[in-house]
């Protein structure tokens, strides 16, 4: 348990922010737009759009001087998407 706690504390706040934002985006897209087309298709489409948004954000960071592009941010976004989809599957 101590190793898990140390690992979780070692994750930077930026990565947690990417997880939370991706989780919220995938759930909002599903609930607001894709809920009418059915759960499997709606979850798939909202997850695909959110992955695209995560990648576009990192491409923007790569092109601009405002941020630093990172594969870790994309992975954190995908983790948030997976958590969000799992939550929506239960509901």
């Amino acid at each position: 348990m101590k190793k898990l706690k140390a690992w979780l504390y070692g994750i930077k706040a930026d990565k947690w922010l990417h997880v939370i934002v991706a989780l919220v985006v995938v759930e909002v897209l599903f609930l607001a737009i894709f809920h009418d087309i059915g759960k499997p298709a709606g979850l798939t489409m909202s997850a695909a759009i959110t992955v695209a948004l995560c990648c576009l954000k990192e491409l923007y960071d790569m092109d601009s001087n405002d941020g630093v592009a990172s594969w870790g941010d994309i992975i954190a976004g995908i983790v948030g998407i997976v958590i969000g989809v799992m939550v929506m599957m239960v509901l």
Side-chain angles (χ1 to χ4, degrees):
M1 190 65 150
K2 288 182 181 182
K3 287 184 181 182
L4 177 63
K5 186 177 176 182
W7 180 74
L8 288 173
Y9 282 142
I11 299 173
K12 294 182 181 179
D14 175 59
K15 303 301 183 243
W16 286 115
L17 185 62
H18 280 274
V19 169
I20 292 168
V21 168
L23 185 146
V24 169
V25 168
V26 76
E27 288 183 355
V28 167
L29 280 174
F30 176 72
L31 291 174
I33 300 169
F34 301 117
H35 191 277
D36 296 333
I37 63 173
K39 194 175 266 191
L43 288 172
T44 303
M45 289 178 69
S46 59
I49 290 172
T50 308
V51 167
L53 289 173
C54 289
C55 292
L56 285 172
K57 193 263 182 209
E58 293 308 312
L59 286 173
Y60 174 77
D61 284 347
M62 187 185 310
D63 192 42
S64 70
N65 293 330
D66 294 338
V68 176
S70 167
W71 282 105
D73 291 346
I74 294 174
I75 293 170
I78 291 171
V79 168
I81 292 166
V82 168
I83 294 169
V85 167
M86 289 178 7
V87 168
M88 289 293 110
M89 287 176 66
V90 172
L91 298 178

